[in-house]
Amino acid sequence: MRLHSKLMLGIIIVILLIAGIFDITFTTMLESNLKKEKGNKALSIAQTISSMPEIQEAFQMEDPAAYIQPISEKIRKQVGAEFIVVGNRNEVRYSHPNPKRIGQKMVGGDNARVFKGESVISESVGTLGPSLRGKAPIYHNGAIIGVVSVGYLQTDIEDEMSAIQNKVFLATLFILMGGLLAALLISLNIKRAIFGLEPREIARMYQEKHAILESIHEGIIAIDTMGRITVVNETAHKILQVPFEVLLRGEKIEEFIPDTHLLAAVNNGGAEYDREIVIHGETFLANYIPIINKRGTVIGAVASLRNKSELYNLLQELSQVKTYAEGLRAQTHEYSNRLYTLLGLIQLGSYKEAIDLISKEADITQGFIHFLMKEVPDPVLAGFILGKLSLASELKIELSIDQYSSFKDVPEVISRDLLVTILGNLINNAFEAVRENGKKEKKVSLFLTDLGKDLIIEVADNGNGIAAGTEDNIFNEGFTTKSGSANAGIGLSLVRKAIDNLQGTLTYSSSREEGTVFTVSIPKGKEVSNERVARFRSINSGG
């Protein structure tokens, strides 16, 4: 059975039970109250008649009935009683609605207590049928001389109850019909509110949503229109540095992220992407998306938070892959040219020249690879340098590595990522410098040494040097003297920041005639924590 059918059936059963209980309870109370009211009324009338001087004096006359009957009937008709019977101590009637019964004995057998001086309410069967009676003694000079009995027939009481019950039944029926209509509306409204889903489907969706939220590496926070948190996943708890056991639902978002623009997404209904915010000293990229219902009303907003350093780490990995790919492409292009040369020499029959060329290339390549494997044993750094060498060959730039270079003693605590950042950007800058120098020879040299307490990296070129007046700005992010390059003005700023994180120093000398020499010194004994590397990545992920 579907949910809305269960709701309707349940509400209908409840309404029927309430209506039934109401009808039974009301009928019982009505019967009790009506009998009590009629009994008290009958007793009150009986007491009033018993205290009338005319009635008391009539008992002393020769024919009491002649005086009592008219008075009793007049009062009976005025109060709507079924009968008013006045009798003497011998229970002989002096009044009765049926005059033929005057002079006969009273019926019912309920006068004993009255003759003892009590006023009573009783139910008994008389000549007119079952009735509810009020009885009071008649006194004269302190002695009981008779009794007054005022009664209402049970059939009259039942007829009056039936009339009221019919009204109650109609009211109950009206309430029942209204309840059925309300049950239908409620079930339809609930069905519409939960998009026609069944409880088991909602439970499954909740479990799926929870699993999805916890599987997402980003921090997810949702708020309502008042800025109160409605949804938060475990990653967001870690970002906010709040234990997962602490309930954040219902808390104000400003208490945890003072500078969030999440409320702006609620107020203006617009989305915002890749906004930088700082939480507990770390930089995050935030996306703000408003939550809009079917009527087009904004009912909240959701934010996704991603650590900027993670994005930078991915960017670095992609950049290194790109660098290796460029190196391989350069090598392929260079060796393709040599293969064509060899093919030409063989076709011309110049076998000796072909053999000499092969021997020369093999000696150079094997010698250089042997040198790198011996002096730069770190595969990341060696592979990177080999790639740059191939790129230089393709660009017709002479890249040389000093024969006295040695980079064997590079401590593990020094980040290879930062070293690649320094080497790569310095060499790329040197390539750019010599390509614009207008000289026939385009030379870049690299010197590496690990002797002593520091690692030394030196990159020299024979370019045109650093333009006068720009020396103070070359390390500023975005500053460049090149035009037409989308990434210009970033390299040296990254170098400076990487060196700062390694607690090293950077010096340079430059002249228009001799070019530029950059010298980097990095202390071996300074450990660089992962936190410092992550912070460097976070700050510079835009590059």
Side-chain angles (χ1 to χ4, degrees):
M1 187 181 292
R2 299 184 67 82
L3 176 61
H4 71 280
S5 301
K6 291 180 181 178
L7 284 172
M8 281 198 64
L9 181 60
I11 294 173
I12 289 171
I13 291 174
V14 171
I15 292 173
L16 289 173
L17 286 173
I18 293 174
I21 294 171
F22 169 77
D23 185 65
I24 294 171
T25 303
F26 186 84
T27 301
T28 304
M29 292 176 62
L30 175 64
E31 183 178 6
S32 175
N33 290 337
L34 189 58
K35 284 186 176 182
K36 184 177 181 181
E37 179 188 353
K38 290 292 185 181
N40 289 334
K41 183 178 180 180
L43 180 61
S44 177
I45 295 170
Q47 289 174 334
T48 300
I49 293 173
S50 69
S51 62
M52 292 176 64
E54 298 93 330
I55 298 297
Q56 296 173 359
E57 292 172 358
F59 270 75
Q60 310 302 320
M61 296 179 181
E62 184 177 347
D63 187 8
Y67 292 95
I68 294 174
Q69 174 69 4
I71 296 172
S72 297
E73 281 300 297
K74 180 180 179 182
I75 295 173
R76 184 183 70 81
K77 293 175 181 179
Q78 288 176 346
V79 300
E82 191 65 33
F83 62 85
I84 296 178
V85 176
V86 178
N88 60 16
R89 286 281 300 186
N90 297 320
E91 298 184 346
V92 176
R93 300 188 186 102
Y94 290 154
S95 68
H96 195 276
N98 185 356
K100 294 181 181 181
R101 297 185 185 278
I102 296 173
Q104 297 177 0
K105 287 200 66 167
M106 299 173 71
V107 179
D110 51 354
N111 290 330
R113 292 172 58 194
V114 179
F115 289 132
K116 291 180 181 180
E118 296 182 33
S119 295
V120 298
I121 297 172
S122 66
E123 292 185 43
S124 185
V125 179
T127 55
L128 298 178
S131 60
L132 181 67
R133 309 174 178 190
K135 292 178 175 288
I138 302 173
Y139 288 90
H140 182 69
N141 295 329
I144 297 174
I145 59 175
V147 60
V148 178
S149 178
V150 180
Y152 293 91
L153 291 179
Q154 292 282 11
T155 54
D156 293 340
I157 296 174
E158 289 171 0
D159 290 342
E160 189 173 345
M161 283 185 60
S162 295
I164 297 175
Q165 281 179 323
N166 289 335
K167 293 180 180 179
V168 172
F169 176 77
L170 290 175
T172 304
L173 184 62
F174 178 77
I175 293 171
L176 182 61
M177 296 303 295
L180 295 177
L181 179 61
L184 177 62
L185 293 176
I186 290 171
S187 63
L188 291 176
N189 186 57
I190 292 176
K191 181 180 179 181
R192 185 167 53 252
I194 61 177
F195 303 104
L197 297 173
E198 294 298 305
R200 62 180 179 277
E201 295 174 320
I202 295 173
R204 187 180 68 250
M205 289 180 65
Y206 173 80
Q207 293 171 341
E208 290 173 351
K209 186 198 79 168
H210 181 74
I212 291 170
L213 284 175
E214 298 309 324
S215 66
I216 294 175
H217 194 57
E218 297 181 355
I220 303 296
I221 302 175
I223 64 169
D224 59 16
T225 54
M226 301 301 293
R228 293 186 293 264
I229 296 173
T230 57
V231 175
V232 57
N233 68 351
E234 188 170 356
T235 303
H237 271 270
K238 293 177 181 177
I239 291 173
L240 300 177
Q241 297 183 5
V242 176
F244 192 66
E245 297 76 19
V246 177
L247 182 64
L248 292 181
R249 184 180 178 88
E251 299 291 337
K252 288 283 188 179
I253 186 65
E254 297 95 334
E255 296 179 7
F256 301 94
I257 311 177
D259 299 327
T260 181
H261 287 71
L262 192 53
L263 278 172
V266 176
N267 297 330
N268 57 36
E272 191 172 358
Y273 300 95
D274 297 331
R275 185 181 187 92
E276 289 192 14
I277 62 172
V278 178
I279 304 175
H280 299 298
E282 291 192 72
T283 304
F284 294 86
L285 291 180
N287 296 324
Y288 303 127
I289 309 294
I291 303 172
I292 303 174
N293 62 15
K294 288 186 175 180
R295 296 188 295 273
T297 304
V298 178
I299 59 174
V302 61
S304 63
L305 306 173
R306 185 68 181 267
N307 197 313
K308 194 175 180 183
S309 64
E310 295 177 2
L311 296 177
Y312 179 74
N313 188 29
L314 179 60
L315 181 63
Q316 285 289 92
E317 291 179 3
L318 292 175
S319 177
Q320 290 183 23
V321 170
K322 182 179 179 182
T323 299
Y324 297 148
E326 288 178 350
L328 291 173
R329 183 182 61 80
Q331 283 185 326
T332 301
H333 182 74
E334 186 67 20
Y335 281 103
S336 177
N337 291 335
R338 287 177 170 79
L339 287 174
Y340 281 122
T341 303
L342 287 172
L343 179 62
L345 290 173
I346 292 171
Q347 287 176 340
L348 293 172
S350 303
Y351 302 118
K352 183 178 183 304
E353 287 79 359
I355 292 172
D356 290 342
L357 180 61
I358 292 172
S359 299
K360 180 182 176 182
E361 289 299 325
D363 289 342
I364 292 173
T365 302
Q366 290 298 325
F368 188 77
I369 293 176
H370 178 73
F371 171 78
L372 278 181
M373 290 178 61
K374 178 181 178 184
E375 302 300 335
V376 187
D378 189 292
V380 173
L381 298 177
F384 180 78
I385 294 171
L386 186 61
K388 287 298 181 183
L389 186 69
S390 300
L391 180 61
S393 178
E394 183 182 6
L395 296 174
K396 306 303 181 184
I397 297 172
E398 182 184 340
L399 174 59
S400 61
I401 300 179
D402 193 286
Q403 62 178 335
Y404 297 108
S405 293
S406 176
F407 232 48
K408 301 175 183 177
D409 185 20
V410 180
E412 290 294 329
V413 296
I414 295 180
S415 169
R416 269 49 177 177
D417 285 347
L418 298 184
L419 289 177
V420 167
T421 297
I422 296 168
L423 277 170
N425 284 287
L426 288 178
I427 293 174
N428 287 344
N429 263 24
F431 285 174
E432 291 291 336
V434 299
R435 291 177 67 184
E436 297 176 356
N437 65 4
K439 299 176 183 178
K440 185 177 181 181
E441 293 184 344
K442 303 181 184 303
K443 296 182 178 182
V444 175
S445 63
L446 174 63
F447 173 67
L448 304 171
T449 181
D450 54 7
L451 299 177
K453 297 182 179 180
D454 300 320
L455 298 176
I456 305 298
I457 301 172
E458 185 178 276
V459 179
D461 64 73
N462 68 337
N464 294 327
I466 298 172
T470 63
E471 295 88 346
D472 296 334
N473 299 319
I474 61 173
F475 296 107
N476 294 337
E477 185 171 347
F479 176 79
T480 181
T481 57
K482 309 179 185 71
S483 60
S485 178
N487 296 321
I490 297 175
L492 288 180
S493 67
L494 287 177
V495 170
R496 168 66 76 184
K497 291 171 183 176
I499 292 172
D500 288 343
N501 276 273
L502 293 172
Q503 302 182 40
T505 59
L506 171 64
T507 59
Y508 69 91
S509 61
S510 180
S511 68
R512 187 168 184 81
E513 295 76 18
E514 298 181 3
T516 305
V517 178
F518 284 95
T519 303
V520 177
S521 175
I522 300 170
K524 295 180 184 178
K526 299 291 186 180
E527 294 190 7
V528 182
S529 65
N530 291 332
E531 181 181 353
R532 288 178 62 86
V533 175
R535 185 162 61 250
F536 167 76
R537 291 173 176 171
S538 174
I539 294 171
N540 303 291
S541 63

